[in-house]
């Protein structure tokens, strides 16, 4: 990885950057990135101050805010060039070697069209995961970007809302279980329900009620039957008439007999 900031400007000394210094600076950036202190075109002033302090304490070096800004711009350049390569077919990232992985023919074609990437064929760039997070403009400053704190806060709020909703739902369910059940029906539903109940009651009543006794034969029916039996004397007719009027079952029995047997049946009944 590059170990110096160039070109040197007035007010900024040229220093050699080590991996430990890079790590210390990036750790500070990640910390404040998660707090949402990333500005549109860089970091807020207090972030640079914290980075200077951290690198000086960790690595026992003297440096200024300008050194931090210059090194941050170097990482930004690395990200733009490498990320563009990784978006092309045939390019990958080797986590063990901390550099791009690509076949020679793919690289040669790409390098011809992208002169600024020529020195990146075997360039070692450590802490790529941190760099790709911090310098990804869509993630760091793009519209709709979220910090870790914002995501955590939203998650906490969602959990709280879900808990409250579940609590209300459980409370409502318990109240519903405790109170007597009440069902509301429209007028048509009530009429239908009452009609069904009445039909059921009628059916049960009819099933339990005894069948009414059969209607007895009228005197006219008895005389009509007796008038059809030949050769009966008046006394015999009157005698059997009294029997049939008093016992409808005997009338039904006589009615069911064949014509040839009716006279014998009558004579038998009045003789006993």
């Amino acid at each position: 990885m590059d170990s110096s900031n160039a070109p040197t400007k007035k007010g900024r000394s040229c220093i050699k950057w080590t991996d430990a210094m890079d790590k210390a600076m990036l750790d500070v950036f990640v910390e404040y990135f998660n707090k949402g202190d990333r500005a549109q075109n860089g970091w807020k002033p207090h972030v640079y101050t914290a980075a200077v302090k951290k690198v000086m304490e960790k690595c026992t070096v003297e440096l200024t805010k300008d050194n931090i800004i210059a090194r941050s711009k170097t990482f930004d350049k690395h990200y733009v060039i490498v990320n563009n390569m990784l978006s092309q077919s045939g390019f990958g990232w080797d986590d063990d070697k901390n550099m791009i992985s690509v076949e020679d023919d793919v690289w040669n074609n790409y390098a011809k069209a992208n002169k600024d990437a020529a020195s990146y064929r075997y360039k070692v760039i450590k802490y790529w995961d941190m760099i790709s997070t911090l310098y990804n403009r869509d993630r760091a400053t793009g519209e709709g970007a979220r910090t870790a704190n914002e995501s955590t806060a939203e998650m906490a709020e969602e959990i709280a809302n879900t808990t409250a909703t579940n609590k209300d739902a459980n409370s409502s369910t318990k109240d519903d279980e405790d109170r007597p059940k009440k069902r509301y029906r429209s007028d048509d539903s009530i009429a239908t329900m009452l009609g069904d109940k009445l039909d059921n009651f009628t059916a049960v009543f009819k099933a339990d009620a005894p069948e009414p006794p059969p209607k007895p034969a009228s005197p006219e029916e008895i005389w009509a039957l007796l008038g059809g039996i030949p050769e009966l004397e008046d006394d015999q007719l009157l005698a059997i008439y009294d029997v049939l009027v008093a016992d409808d079952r005997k009338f039904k029995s006589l009615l069911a007999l064949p014509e040839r047997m009716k006279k014998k049946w009558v004579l038998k009944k009045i003789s006993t």
Side-chain angles (χ1 to χ4, degrees), residues 211-227:
E211 293 185 3
K215 184 179 179 181
S218 65
E220 290 79 10
E221 290 176 315
I222 295 174
W223 275 117
L225 176 60
L226 294 177

Side-chain angles (χ1 to χ4, degrees), residues 1-2 17-26 59 71 124 126-127:
M1 185 177 292
D2 293 352
W17 283 83
T18 65
D19 291 341
M21 293 168 65
D22 286 339
K23 180 66 163 55
M25 185 189 76
L26 291 172
C59 304
R71 191 58 173 165
V124 174
K126 293 187 177 180
Y127 317 118

Side-chain angles (χ1 to χ4, degrees), residues 64-75:
T64 66
K65 174 182 175 182
D66 289 336
N67 297 130
I68 297 293
I69 292 175
R71 191 58 173 165
S72 182
K73 289 181 178 179
T74 297
F75 284 135

Side-chain angles (χ1 to χ4, degrees), residues 31-71:
E31 176 186 351
Y32 284 94
F33 174 83
N34 290 334
K35 293 179 180 179
D37 287 342
R38 174 84 180 189
Q40 183 68 29
N41 296 315
W43 297 97
K44 295 180 180 180
H46 66 277
V47 179
Y48 292 116
T49 301
V52 169
K53 181 179 179 181
K54 182 69 172 289
V55 174
M56 291 177 64
E57 290 177 351
K58 284 281 187 180
C59 304
T60 318
V61 294
E62 292 292 332
L63 75 167
T64 66
K65 174 182 175 182
D66 289 336
N67 297 130
I68 297 293
I69 292 175
R71 191 58 173 165

Side-chain angles (χ1 to χ4, degrees), residues 243-258:
V243 172
L244 298 180
V245 169
D247 192 342
D248 192 66
R249 289 181 59 194
K250 291 181 179 179
F251 171 78
K252 295 291 194 302
S253 297
L254 176 60
L255 185 63
L257 290 174

Side-chain angles (χ1 to χ4, degrees), residues 162-180:
T162 301
T163 302
T165 301
N166 291 339
K167 183 177 180 181
D168 292 342
N170 292 336
S171 176
S172 176
T173 301
K174 187 176 186 304
D175 291 342
D176 290 342
E177 291 175 351
D178 292 341
R179 72 167 63 95

Side-chain angles (χ1 to χ4, degrees), residues 183-199:
R183 298 176 63 189
Y184 296 92
R185 298 183 174 90
S186 64
D187 292 341
D188 290 342
S189 298
I190 293 175
T192 301
M193 179 190 69
L194 292 177
D196 292 341
K197 288 186 176 296
L198 181 59
D199 291 342

